[in-house]
Amino acid sequence: MSMKDTYNHTGVRLGAFKAFAAADSTTAYTGSAIDTSGFNSVMFSVTANYSAADTATYALSITHSDNGTDYEAATGDFIIGPSAALSGSANVQKIGYVGGRKYVKLVVTPSAAATSTNVITVVGHAILSNPALMPVA
């Protein structure tokens, strides 16, 4: 069963979050597994605490899995957005998932190391919606 589109039908709201490590290299940071059971839509809202002096950007992507163990990159057919990478001028982004896998993870990949005087914290919120049963606890 395909997920429904939440990117075009949902605003960004504060929810549960995953704080990523300080961006001190170009190593991708992968968030926690999100179990989409009981929901038909998922979107990640991602915010960066940015210093104006830092020029690194942060690409957003999603991996997905049927079993919660074997993850692969979700292809463009299953991704909606983001309109731009996280950067000093675009420090809040959202990325939607419309695939049918049970588990998803947010991946944030820096384009360059943060400057030695700056620490950048990237926080991602998984927003699950269109529940099979309501109300959601």
Side-chain angles (χ1 to χ4, degrees):
M1 177 172 109
S2 291
M3 295 286 219
K4 292 182 173 46
D5 167 16
T6 58
Y7 183 82
N8 292 307
H9 303 284
T10 304
V12 176
R13 303 289 186 267
L14 181 61
F17 67 91
K18 164 71 177 161
F20 293 90
D24 57 0
S25 71
T26 56
T27 302
Y29 297 98
T30 301
S32 300
I34 303 298
D35 184 344
T36 64
S37 296
F39 294 90
N40 290 310
S41 303
V42 64
M43 180 183 73
F44 288 95
S45 168
V46 188
T47 306
N49 178 8
Y50 233 91
S51 166
D54 203 312
T55 58
T57 59
Y58 297 79
L60 304 178
S61 60
I62 293 175
T63 59
H64 57 176
S65 170
D66 288 320
N67 59 18
T69 302
D70 303 314
Y71 284 85
E72 62 186 27
T75 63
D77 293 345
F78 300 126
I79 302 296
I80 302 173
S83 57
L86 283 169
S87 68
S89 62
N91 61 351
V92 177
Q93 291 292 337
K94 61 183 178 179
I95 181 170
Y97 175 75
V98 293
R101 306 275 179 98
K102 183 177 179 181
Y103 300 95
V104 294
K105 290 183 180 182
L106 175 67
V107 180
V108 179
T109 307
S111 66
T115 61
S116 60
T117 58
N118 294 315
V119 174
I120 297 173
T121 303
V122 178
V123 180
H125 304 109
I127 300 169
L128 298 159
S129 58
N130 295 312
L133 296 173
M134 294 186 285
V136 175

